């Protein structure tokens, strides 16, 4: 293991240190696997990869946070999922090979401020930062969109989680202070500035979102709803009041209603951001949360409580559950300069619950400042 030892670097390859941020979604939940619209932004916490190419085909990796001090290694071409964090690293080298891109062995040292398992895309941040480091080290001809696609393939086909495309695109193209409006049907995206009067608040609910089975079920239900309506995806349906939607059996009707109304909310949110209409954004956040709670049924009582407490804060425009659901983070927009105090008050008031304790993640707190 010599990630910092340049003596192992062949003349044709370079040592590289690259990073990528975690993400939080502002609006557009469970829409990406339905070819719909999403509106994520980045969080200040990042994952960093220090990488040194080797002269052989061995990969040796260490993480400062997960299994600290333990080196894991394998040969390129010998990647096999093992249900541990290295699956994301192996997934990346496997996925590059599927794309026909050749790399050599390397040593990598990974540090991350993005909390693992909190629903902030620590896995996409790892994949994207590693791909960025490999791109520099081995002069790979990869533009950002292809890079995001390779990360997505690592996660879906190698690790085996049936996620949509939002996370790797957000971690690759996202910017602080800007929402990334992505059309997941075309993968085209556009930066939309978040008005300077607003600041981002993210609270970890303290409930670990570990229900991959439920995510798969929601995905299957949405696909089934589209199939019954003769649509390629729910993106093709633009009005939740259409008779075809109303005729669907439960719970497909409610699942479809969530996705169709959520796509419309993203489009309205993009306009509201452009017009600086933060009150309207707040209403859209509230409607999205209600839809995730009642139609998609992916919220939990602990999350609902945080959203209620946040929404009751006078300086908060709106709050909602963000990400896959069943726990994970709550996102809010607050008046600039007021978010930190409002978030701390809410966490204090919510207190600990049976499954953990909420904590403020954005704005970053003094005990978790960027390293
Ligand atoms: C998870 C997935 C994303 C997306 C969200 C829900 O974060 O990784 O692709 O489906 O859930 O919006």
């Amino acid at each position: 293991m010599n990630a910092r030892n340049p003596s192992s670097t062949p003349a044709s390859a370079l040592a590289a240190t690259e990073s990528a941020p975690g993400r939080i979604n502002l609006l557009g939940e469970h829409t990406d696997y339905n070819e719909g619209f999403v509106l994520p932004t980045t969080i200040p916490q990042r994952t960093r990869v220090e990488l040194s190419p080797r002269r052989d085909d061995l990969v040796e990796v260490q993480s400062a946070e997960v299994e600290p001090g333990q080196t894991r290694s394998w040969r390129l071409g010998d990647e096999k999922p093992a249900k541990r964090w290295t699956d994301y690293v192996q997934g990346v080298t496997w996925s590059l090979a599927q794309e026909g891109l050749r790399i050599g062995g390397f040593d990598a040292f990974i540090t991350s401020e993005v909390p693992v398992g909190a629903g902030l895309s620590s896995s996409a941040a790892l994949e994207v930062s590693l791909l960025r480091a490999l791109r520099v080290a081995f002069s790979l001809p990869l533009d950002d969109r292809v890079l995001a696609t390779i990360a997505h393939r690592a996660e879906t086909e190698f690790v085996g989680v049936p996620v949509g495309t939002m996370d790797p695109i957000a971690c690759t193209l996202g910017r602080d202070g800007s929402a990334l409006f992505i059309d997941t049907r075309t993968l085209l995206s556009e930066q939309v500035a978040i008005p300077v009067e607003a600041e981002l608040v993210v609270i970890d609910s303290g409930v670990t979102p570990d229900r991959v089975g439920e995510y798969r079920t929601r995905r299957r239900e949405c696909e089934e709803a589209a199939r019954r309506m003769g649509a390629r995806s729910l993106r093709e349906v633009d009005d939740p009041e259409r008779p075809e939607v109303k005729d669907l059996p439960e719970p497909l009707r409610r699942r479809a209603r969530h996705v169709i109304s959520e796509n419309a909310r993203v489009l309205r949110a993009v306009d509201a951001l452009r017009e600086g209409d933060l009150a309207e954004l707040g209403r859209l956040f509230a409607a999205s949360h209600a839809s995730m709670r009642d139609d998609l049924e992916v919220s939990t009582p602990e999350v609902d409580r945080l959203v209620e407490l946040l929404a009751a804060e006078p300086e908060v425009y709106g709050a909602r559950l963000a990400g896959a659901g069943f726990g994970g983070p709550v996102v809010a927009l607050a008046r600039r300069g007021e978010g930190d105090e409002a978030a701390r008050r809410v966490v204090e008031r919510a207190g600990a619950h049976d499954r953990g304790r909420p904590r403020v993640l954005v704005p970053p707190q003094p005990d978790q400042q960027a390293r």
Side-chain angles (χ1 to χ4, degrees):
M1 182 73 204
N2 53 0
R4 295 186 174 109
N5 178 2
S7 67
S8 68
T9 309
S12 57
L14 299 165
T17 299
E18 292 287 326
S19 71
R23 70 93 188 90
I24 187 86
N25 195 10
L26 295 177
L27 216 57
E29 227 62 86
H30 288 252
T31 47
D32 62 352
Y33 56 77
N34 289 298
E35 298 192 317
F37 304 115
V38 290
L39 195 63
T41 185
T42 52
I43 57 171
Q45 289 89 344
R46 302 182 77 87
T47 297
R48 287 188 181 75
V49 174
E50 288 175 57
L51 186 143
S52 294
R54 303 170 56 104
R55 290 178 189 280
D56 53 21
D57 63 354
L58 202 63
V59 177
E60 289 202 340
V61 291
Q62 247 192 49
S63 153
E65 282 76 29
V66 197
E67 304 185 314
Q70 161 108 48
T71 301
R72 297 266 174 201
S73 63
W74 60 90
R75 290 203 180 278
L76 289 173
D78 230 6
E79 297 91 351
K80 283 179 206 72
K83 298 230 175 298
R84 61 167 79 99
W85 70 274
T86 43
D87 287 1
Y88 298 100
V89 181
Q90 294 201 353
V92 162
T93 55
W94 173 88
S95 188
L96 280 169
Q98 304 305 303
E99 198 70 19
L101 290 163
R102 285 177 59 82
I103 54 169
F106 59 89
D107 294 337
F109 185 69
I110 298 152
T111 50
S112 185
E113 302 147 4
V114 184
V116 175
L120 296 165
S121 267
S122 58
S123 58
L126 169 55
E127 291 153 359
V128 172
S129 52
L130 177 62
L131 278 163
R132 284 181 169 160
L134 290 168
R135 171 165 69 183
V136 174
F138 295 102
S139 309
L140 299 176
L142 272 184
D143 71 25
D144 281 343
R145 273 169 221 284
V146 177
L147 186 147
T149 310
I150 291 173
H152 181 242
R153 188 169 191 180
E155 191 119 4
T156 51
E157 291 182 32
F158 187 84
V159 182
V161 199
V163 287
T165 46
M166 167 171 69
D167 302 349
I169 299 179
C171 296
T172 306
L173 299 176
R175 290 190 208 142
D176 285 3
S178 187
L180 187 69
F181 172 44
I182 309 169
D183 179 343
T184 65
R185 181 153 71 182
T186 58
L187 299 190
L188 292 177
S189 63
E190 192 185 339
Q191 302 284 349
V192 187
I194 299 173
V196 287
E197 297 79 26
E199 76 173 305
L200 186 68
V201 169
V202 180
I203 298 178
D204 172 13
S205 65
V207 180
T208 308
D210 57 357
R211 308 267 288 277
V212 178
E214 296 278 4
Y215 184 89
R216 276 182 213 278
T217 306
R218 296 301 178 282
R219 186 170 178 151
R220 261 202 312 270
E221 288 166 346
C222 290
E223 285 162 0
E224 174 64 10
R227 196 188 61 76
R228 285 178 185 239
M229 288 190 284
R232 184 181 121 131
S233 70
L234 289 179
R235 158 67 179 278
E236 287 179 10
V237 188
D238 56 9
D239 178 4
E241 300 305 320
R242 293 233 315 239
E244 306 93 283
V245 181
K246 291 192 157 166
D247 287 348
L248 287 169
E250 296 294 3
L252 303 191
R253 184 185 67 88
R254 276 176 296 136
R255 306 298 189 247
R257 189 166 66 178
H258 166 76
V259 173
I260 298 164
S261 63
E262 186 80 349
N263 276 330
R265 280 188 287 273
V266 175
L267 296 178
R268 276 159 58 200
V270 170
D271 288 343
L273 283 170
R274 290 199 175 115
E275 288 157 13
D277 189 346
L278 291 161
E280 170 68 356
L281 270 173
R283 285 190 287 274
L284 293 167
F285 271 39
S288 170
H289 184 73
S291 179
M292 286 179 84
R293 183 190 58 211
D294 303 335
D295 279 353
L296 200 60
E297 297 176 288
V298 296
S299 193
T300 74
E302 300 84 353
V303 166
D304 291 343
R305 168 106 178 111
L306 282 174
V307 168
E308 257 169 49
L309 288 171
L310 274 165
E313 286 286 326
E315 309 295 349
V316 169
Y317 298 107
R320 53 176 288 274
L321 161 64
F326 307 103
V330 167
V331 65
L333 284 178
R335 199 180 305 279
R336 176 154 302 278
E338 308 289 343
D340 191 44
E341 273 195 29
R344 285 171 187 240
R345 260 195 309 273
V346 163
V347 162
E348 175 79 29
R349 222 166 276 160
H353 47 71
D354 288 354
R355 300 164 73 183
R357 173 183 284 281
R359 58 182 171 144
V360 182
L361 293 175
V362 181
Q365 301 297 291
D367 58 334
Q368 25 153 335
Q369 285 298 344
R371 271 182 289 264

